[in-house]
Amino acid sequence: MLRILPIVAAILYGLIMYRVSIWRTHRELDQKSTELADVKLKQITDRLAAALEVKRIPVFIYEIDPINGLAAPDGRIFITRGFYNAYRAGDISAEELSSVIAHELGHVALGHAKKRMIDFSGQNALRTVLMMILGRYIPVIGPWIANFLTKLIAARLSREDEYEADEYAAVLLFKAGYGLTAQKSLFEKLERLTHGRAGLSPAWLMSHPQTADRIAALERLEDIWAKR
């Protein structure tokens, strides 16, 4: 019984962290976001909504500078102020920004937003267990190995989610009559807009797939659709 007590404690810790993370995320987003009011973007999101057969797609601006989009566990879609400013400055088009919204809709529709919160708590529990086990037998580098293995698993799961959300967005944009041109061009622009920060980590530790791989995956979809 005493041997499994640390594992039970780690699982309980993960569950607690899951609830705390959701609460913190909702509070942060509620305090730092407002609903987007942009006529041109609304015209595009209305076409996406029609393709999904829903009344509308509310989008919120999250008041932080980094360029990013995100889907909250409660299903809300956010783009950051930094992303919106890039659009207003003409660095990206309305269609390109809408491809981000379609991508985040994919995360919601496919259950990634909630799964990520569960994964986060599960990763904390896994890290705790590994640190207990490895730290006992490899005192000096055991905790480092535990963190590395947990990060490796998390990165792979996240990359899989990104490919799935890309495909969902591609289908939605195609159905709405926009095609995939803006989605692919945005990926290329993100390298410049984010100053190539993704290249600082090896591909197998990145939480997002490499740009060339994402574009290649979309082009494979286009080839499949062209043959039908």
Side-chain angles (χ1 to χ4, degrees):
M1 181 64 182
L2 291 177
R3 289 183 178 180
I4 66 170
L5 187 59
I7 298 176
V8 173
I11 293 173
L12 290 175
Y13 171 78
L15 292 173
I16 292 171
M17 288 302 299
Y18 168 64
R19 299 306 307 175
V20 170
S21 296
I22 289 179
W23 175 75
R24 285 179 176 173
T25 299
H26 285 176
R27 186 181 67 170
E28 170 81 6
L29 293 174
D30 288 342
Q31 292 176 346
K32 295 185 178 181
S33 66
T34 54
E35 188 165 353
L36 173 65
D38 185 285
V39 175
K40 190 170 183 179
L41 284 174
K42 187 177 185 303
Q43 291 174 346
I44 298 176
T45 57
D46 282 348
R47 284 179 63 176
L48 296 180
L52 290 172
E53 299 181 351
V54 298
K55 290 184 178 180
R56 72 186 190 101
I57 298 172
V59 180
F60 298 83
I61 294 183
Y62 182 26
E63 298 292 345
I64 60 173
D65 292 330
I67 291 176
N68 205 354
L70 65 148
D74 61 7
R76 287 180 293 171
I77 304 299
F78 295 83
I79 58 172
T80 62
R81 175 61 66 178
F83 225 148
Y84 185 66
N85 286 343
Y87 156 68
R88 292 295 299 272
D91 293 328
I92 59 174
S93 68
E95 291 77 14
E96 287 169 337
L97 188 56
S98 295
S99 75
V100 177
I101 295 170
H103 175 91
E104 298 305 328
L105 284 170
H107 282 312
V108 173
L110 298 170
H112 296 163
K114 291 183 178 180
K115 190 184 81 172
R116 283 179 176 181
M117 298 301 296
I118 297 173
D119 285 347
F120 173 76
S121 59
Q123 289 157 23
N124 280 332
L126 176 63
R127 183 184 295 107
T128 302
V129 171
L130 287 174
M131 288 180 71
M132 288 176 179
I133 297 172
L134 295 176
R136 180 176 180 181
Y137 296 101
I138 319 174
V140 178
I141 64 172
W144 181 87
I145 294 174
N147 279 322
F148 176 79
L149 291 175
T150 305
K151 186 176 181 179
L152 189 64
I153 294 170
R156 178 169 182 174
L157 292 174
S158 183
R159 287 195 302 272
E160 291 173 355
D161 286 352
E162 293 304 315
Y163 279 124
E164 290 179 358
D166 283 350
E167 184 172 346
Y168 179 96
V171 173
L172 177 56
L173 291 165
F174 185 82
K175 187 177 179 181
Y178 289 109
L180 310 189
T181 301
Q183 189 179 13
K184 291 189 291 184
S185 63
L186 177 70
F187 287 149
E188 295 171 344
K189 290 182 179 181
L190 282 178
E191 288 288 318
R192 173 176 55 83
L193 292 171
T194 58
H195 307 293
R197 285 194 297 270
L200 298 177
S201 299
W204 37 271
L205 274 178
M206 289 166 55
S207 60
H208 283 60
Q210 291 184 313
T211 298
D213 293 337
R214 298 178 82 170
I215 293 174
L218 293 178
E219 290 175 342
R220 285 194 294 271
L221 277 178
E222 288 180 309
D223 289 341
I224 292 172
W225 295 341
K227 294 175 181 177
R228 291 180 177 176

